[in-house]
């Protein structure tokens, strides 16, 4: 007897329960004819012949007319593998068509029911769950803007989803407000993501919390500040709004500073100095740098002063420019 999972698998390639039973009997006893299969399976010979014809049409068996006219099984490793590949390619084509049809669907909604292009999500857990689902469906790229407050106090589930898409080869770019770098736990999370392939940059200020998946679906946090503690967000389907939000991200991204955590450049400087340059460029405050490097703020200020002197710079901005010129960033 077949369990539901195996029966469903045969259904996917167009074979009934009887078809696969005939197939198994033919593999076990290649010399058996249709009448013997019918007797063993308690069905008519006509039903068996119809099953054999279906198996032959799928390339799993062949009609050997040169010998005795009976059907001969093809090696399942070849026959089934080819059948699965064909179905997989067909499903891939259908999946690709679904994205195009989704865009057509969105265009139709824009004309007839524009309100359905937008979904309001209320609550912290509902928003986190919606983001998790969107990340899981990403195909090519996800971009995000992050700034306090946070949708989920423990962001591990979202990070797991991010890691999953990075492992699938989906590009992930995140833009962080500089105050995020003042929180050691958040810095550790960002470093973990960067180590796993996320591209991260920072700006002193960002205008919103935003996520855009595949340039088609956007999530914007509308409320969640101290003045409005209940999390409220909107999910927008592909439209001029999502195009505009993507454009805002790209504009901010072009002006942001890369976040690195000791980039491993080979130069005359020690590893701590290289890391210090990266953290300064990211916009971290002295106290945050001290926590990240596990030294005192006084030590950080001393190292910064030495770095400025070494670069012959009068301030941090000038030091950053000269570090770029020297290939240190």
């Amino acid at each position: 007897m077949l369990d539901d999972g195996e029966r469903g698998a045969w259904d996917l390639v167009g074979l009934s329960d009887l078809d696969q039973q005939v197939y198994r009997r033919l593999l076990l006893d290649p010399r058996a004819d249709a009448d013997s299969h019918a007797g063993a399976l308690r069905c008519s010979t006509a039903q068996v012949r119809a099953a054999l014809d279906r198996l032959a049409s799928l390339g799993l068996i062949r009609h050997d007319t040169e010998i005795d006219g009976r059907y001969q099984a093809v090696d399942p490793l070849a026959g089934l593998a080819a059948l699965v590949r064909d179905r997989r390619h067909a499903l891939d084509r259908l999946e690709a068509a679904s994205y195009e049809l989704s865009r057509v669907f969105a265009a139709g909604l824009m004309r007839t029911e524009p309100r359905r292009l937008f979904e309001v999500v209320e609550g912290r857990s509902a928003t986190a769950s919606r983001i998790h689902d969107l990340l899981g469906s990403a195909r090519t790229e996800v971009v995000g803007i992050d700034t306090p407050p946070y949708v989920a106090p423990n962001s591990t589930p979202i990070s797991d989803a991010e890691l999953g898409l990075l492992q699938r080869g989906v590009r992930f770019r995140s833009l962080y407000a500089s105050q995020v770098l003042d929180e050691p736990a958040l810095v550790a999370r960002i470093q973990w993501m960067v180590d796993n392939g996320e591209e991260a940059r920072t700006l002193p200020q960002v205008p919103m919390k935003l996520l855009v998946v595949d340039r088609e679906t956007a999530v914007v946090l509308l409320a969640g500040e101290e003045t409005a503690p209940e999390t409220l967000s909107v999910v927008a389907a592909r439209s001029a709004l999502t195009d505009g939000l993507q454009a805002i991200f790209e504009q901010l991204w072009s002006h942001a500073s890369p976040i690195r955590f000791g980039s491993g450049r080979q130069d005359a400087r020690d590893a701590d100095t290289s890391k210090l340059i990266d953290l300064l460029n990211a916009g971290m405050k002295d106290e945050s740098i001290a926590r990240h490097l596990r030294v005192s703020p006084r030590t950080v200020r001393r190292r910064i002063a030495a770095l400025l002197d070494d670069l012959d710079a009068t301030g941090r901005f000038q030091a950053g420019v000269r570090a770029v010129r020297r290939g240190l960033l």
Side-chain angles (χ1 to χ4, degrees):
M1 294 296 293
L2 299 177
D3 59 33
D4 291 341
E6 186 177 351
R7 183 176 292 106
W10 286 102
D11 289 342
L12 285 176
V13 295
L15 293 176
S16 68
D17 191 13
L18 177 62
D19 294 337
Q20 72 83 24
Q21 290 185 62
V22 171
Y23 181 52
R24 287 177 183 272
R25 282 191 53 79
L26 190 62
L27 294 174
L28 184 64
D29 186 2
R31 295 183 179 181
D33 57 19
D35 291 333
S36 62
H37 291 316
L41 297 175
R42 297 182 180 179
C43 63
S44 69
T45 300
Q47 288 176 306
V48 171
R49 293 191 184 281
L52 291 170
D53 288 341
R54 282 191 292 272
L55 292 167
S57 69
L58 293 173
L60 296 179
I61 63 176
R62 63 176 180 271
H63 197 191
D64 198 342
T65 56
E66 294 184 1
I67 301 177
D68 56 8
R70 295 182 183 182
Y71 286 97
Q72 303 292 323
V74 175
D75 185 343
L77 285 177
L80 279 175
L83 185 58
V84 169
R85 282 196 302 272
D86 290 344
R87 291 300 185 273
R88 185 176 292 122
H89 292 158
L91 290 172
D92 288 342
R93 291 193 296 272
L94 184 59
E95 183 183 23
S98 72
Y99 297 121
E100 175 59 30
L101 291 174
S102 178
R103 286 190 282 270
V104 174
F105 176 68
L109 288 180
M110 181 70 73
R111 290 193 300 272
T112 60
E113 299 180 73
R115 291 183 180 180
R116 289 184 58 189
L117 290 172
F118 307 99
E119 170 192 357
V120 176
V121 182
E122 300 182 46
R124 188 184 299 270
S125 61
T127 299
S129 177
R130 193 72 174 88
I131 290 173
H132 187 278
D133 291 343
L134 285 171
L135 291 177
S137 69
R139 308 185 311 279
T140 56
E141 182 184 48
V142 175
V143 302
I145 300 177
D146 197 14
T147 182
Y150 292 96
V151 170
N154 179 0
S155 60
T156 300
I158 296 177
S159 295
D160 288 345
E162 293 172 355
L163 180 59
L165 64 89
L166 288 169
Q167 290 173 338
R168 300 199 314 272
V170 177
R171 187 184 185 192
F172 198 104
R173 291 185 288 160
S174 291
L175 181 60
Y176 297 94
S178 60
Q179 60 263 44
V180 171
L181 303 178
D182 295 334
E183 299 293 335
L186 296 176
V187 171
R189 175 187 180 278
I190 295 170
Q191 181 170 5
W192 183 77
M193 290 304 302
V194 169
D195 289 344
N196 282 279
E198 179 185 279
E199 300 171 48
R201 295 187 182 183
T202 182
L203 281 174
Q205 291 183 327
V206 295
M208 69 187 83
K209 290 176 68 70
L210 170 69
L211 188 76
V212 184
V213 177
D214 294 329
R215 297 177 178 263
E216 294 181 349
T217 307
V219 182
V220 181
L221 188 72
L222 300 180
E225 303 282 356
E226 294 180 359
T227 56
E230 181 63 24
T231 301
L232 184 67
S233 59
V234 63
V235 181
R238 181 162 187 166
S239 59
L241 176 59
T242 55
D243 292 343
L245 291 171
Q246 180 80 31
I248 289 173
F249 174 86
E250 298 295 351
Q251 183 68 17
L252 294 172
W253 181 261
S254 67
H255 291 90
S257 300
I259 298 177
R260 303 186 182 94
F261 298 95
S263 52
R265 293 176 298 275
Q266 299 298 318
D267 51 42
R269 304 178 185 280
D270 59 45
D272 284 344
T273 302
S274 294
K275 184 176 290 188
L276 175 62
I277 294 173
D278 287 333
L279 299 180
L280 281 172
N281 184 63
M284 270 194 182
K285 297 177 182 178
D286 293 354
E287 292 76 11
S288 299
I289 294 175
R291 286 196 296 267
H292 191 76
L293 296 180
R294 298 181 181 179
V295 298
S296 68
R298 184 176 180 179
T299 298
V300 168
R301 286 190 284 271
R302 187 176 68 250
R303 290 184 181 179
I304 291 173
L307 179 63
L308 294 178
D309 183 65
D310 188 33
L311 293 171
D312 193 24
T314 58
R316 296 187 182 194
F317 178 78
Q318 188 180 43
V321 173
R322 295 192 174 183
V324 171
R325 289 177 179 173
R326 293 191 187 184
L328 303 178
L329 281 174

